[in-house]
Amino acid sequence: MMETVKFGIIGCGLMGKEFASAAARWLHVRESVPKPEILAVCDVNPAAAQWFTEEVPSVQYVYTDYKELLQNPEVEAVYCAVPHVLHKQTYVDIIDAGKHFMGEKPFGMDLDANQAILDACQRHPASVIRCASEFPFFPAAQLLIRWVQEGRFGRILEVHAGLNHSSDMDRNKPINWKRTLKTNGEYGCMGDLGLHTQHIPFRLGWIPQNVCAKLCKYVTERPDGKGGMAPCETWDNATLICDVQAQTGEAFPMFLEMKRMKPGATNDWYIEVDGMDCSARFASDDPNALWFTQAHGREQAWCRLVVGSKPLYPTITGNIFEFGFSDSILQMWVAFMKEVAGQAPGFGCIRPEETAISHRLHTAALESQRTNAIVPI
């Protein structure tokens, strides 16, 4: 088995640094899986690469043009985190360069861009191509998934999933690329947050059949950083109600919540499954616990089970300790590296075909908002 896989990073921002940190912590991993080695970095802003050259000893190449990185024969795999408007061309170029590839959501700014990326995937079946989503790798979320697979919930009544922020409640927060149509796309908050809410449901086979969408814009302009104001063009909040069919045949509603303006929320990710026999909920603001119901005759009591650090892929960390966001990032990258090594990952990262379901859902949600109707998918 290969001992390392040499990576290039395109986009030297927050998530690129998280990947570099995960690679540096690979000694935590107790799986027989290759280690990612960050060999090259690229950002149109040369200053953005400075942290990598100072803190990541394995970095040998620094580029401002990602095409030069892709031409480097030593680079075997790429992680790319760039604005949505750049996804179509950049992702297709990465895939057509024959590299293994981890991209960021939404895997294309719109449905057409996503289709172009999926067409490139078809041209390179030997490449491992996935989309990043770290939240499902919290041990308590994985326990909820196992309970669904074991049939513990009985007939499912409802599923709720969401990812919420509150930072945009500050109306003096300067505008950025996620607030403009030309760089973020018409999906707005759905493109930025949606796949995080859909990773687990789609993997469990809960595919929306239709959608009724409520999309909201609350802040119409923000400081432009130059002393003036700039228009905010994208959706701040989205709530989607979908009809879903369980694999056992029964239908149930699924509620997806994606909000940049949710009072008190700081990157609050959650999933709740309500069933006739059992219900369970995981939320990232209580990261070490799974809440579940226990029936007492006609009454149900919510119980809190502390799961601790019992991840999908074993690490050196004792299971009595707490599990956090950086640990979930590490788990996500182990899942990716297992696939690169030809191993079955268990749960695994978001697949390209799952991003296509998300795009169809978000496109239908825009139509639902325009027509005030339930739109089939």
Side-chain angles (χ1 to χ4, degrees), residues 317-331:
T317 305
N319 59 25
I320 63 171
F321 297 117
E322 294 81 10
F323 187 96
F325 181 78
S326 296
D327 300 304
S328 68
I329 291 282
L330 180 61
Q331 289 283 305

Side-chain angles (χ1 to χ4, degrees), residues 32-348:
S32 179
V33 64
K35 175 184 177 180
E37 178 184 341
I38 299 171
L39 185 71
V41 295
C42 176
D43 200 288
V44 292
N45 177 11
Q50 182 177 351
W51 180 89
F52 290 87
T53 57
E54 292 177 350
E55 302 294 341
V56 185
S58 60
V59 171
Q60 297 180 27
Y61 305 98
V62 179
Y63 304 101
T64 56
D65 184 345
Y66 75 86
K67 293 183 179 179
E68 294 181 6
L69 183 149
L70 297 180
Q71 291 169 359
N72 186 332
E74 296 181 64
V75 174
E76 302 168 275
V78 172
Y79 171 59
C80 182
V82 295
H84 303 168
V85 66
L86 301 176
H87 282 199
K88 179 180 178 180
Q89 188 63 58
T90 310
Y91 286 18
V92 168
D93 287 344
I94 294 168
I95 297 166
D96 280 339
K99 313 293 186 181
H100 298 302
F101 173 47
M102 175 81 88
E104 278 291 339
K105 70 317 184 219
F107 237 64
M109 189 166 73
D110 54 28
L111 192 62
D112 289 341
N114 179 254
Q115 186 59 58
I117 295 166
L118 264 66
D119 289 344
C121 294
Q122 292 292 322
R123 294 194 292 270
H124 297 273
S127 297
V128 175
I129 302 165
R130 296 292 182 263
C131 181
S133 176
E134 60 279 348
F135 294 104
F137 292 96
F138 278 82
Q142 285 292 313
L143 181 58
L144 184 150
I145 292 167
R146 290 197 295 274
W147 283 11
V148 172
Q149 293 169 336
E150 293 167 2
R152 291 199 185 195
F153 294 89
R155 178 167 183 170
I156 295 175
L157 303 174
E158 294 180 354
V159 169
H160 299 253
L163 179 56
N164 298 320
H165 300 279
S166 64
S167 62
D168 279 13
M169 297 290 291
D170 177 7
R171 285 168 285 184
N172 293 317
K173 178 182 176 181
I175 198 165
N176 60 30
W177 66 266
K178 293 181 180 179
R179 311 299 177 265
T180 62
L181 290 174
K182 69 177 183 179
T183 50
N184 181 88
E186 195 177 355
Y187 294 154
C189 58
M190 295 187 293
D192 194 38
L193 308 177
L195 267 168
H196 287 306
T197 72
Q198 299 150 20
H199 188 178
I200 290 177
F202 290 178
R203 187 60 54 84
L204 291 173
W206 299 335
I207 310 303
Q209 299 175 333
N210 54 43
V211 62
C212 177
K214 182 61 179 177
L215 311 181
C216 300
K217 295 179 184 178
Y218 296 110
V219 179
T220 58
E221 60 180 13
R222 289 189 179 275
D224 63 4
K226 304 175 184 178
M229 302 295 287
C232 286
E233 301 170 322
T234 57
W235 300 108
D236 292 312
N237 288 2
T239 301
L240 310 185
I241 305 173
C242 309
D243 285 322
V244 175
Q245 192 169 44
Q247 292 183 342
T248 52
E250 301 93 350
F252 61 88
M254 181 166 69
F255 301 81
L256 301 174
E257 183 182 31
M258 297 145 276
K259 296 180 178 178
R260 293 188 180 126
M261 299 187 70
K262 177 74 169 181
T266 304
N267 210 45
D268 180 16
W269 180 89
Y270 69 88
I271 183 165
E272 178 175 327
V273 179
D274 296 335
M276 291 288 291
D277 298 338
C278 175
S279 298
R281 175 184 172 91
F282 170 77
S284 60
D285 61 1
D286 189 7
N288 288 290
L290 180 69
W291 288 84
F292 68 97
T293 56
Q294 199 169 66
H296 297 274
R298 296 182 179 180
E299 298 175 333
Q300 298 83 41
W302 279 97
C303 308
R304 182 175 182 268
L305 173 65
V306 177
V307 177
S309 187
K310 299 175 185 175
L312 180 62
Y313 311 116
T315 68
I316 63 170
T317 305
N319 59 25
I320 63 171
F321 297 117
E322 294 81 10
F323 187 96
F325 181 78
S326 296
D327 300 304
S328 68
I329 291 282
L330 180 61
Q331 289 283 305
M332 180 188 75
W333 279 104
V334 173
F336 183 76
M337 297 307 295
K338 284 178 76 71
E339 293 203 76
V340 169
Q343 303 174 21
F347 181 76

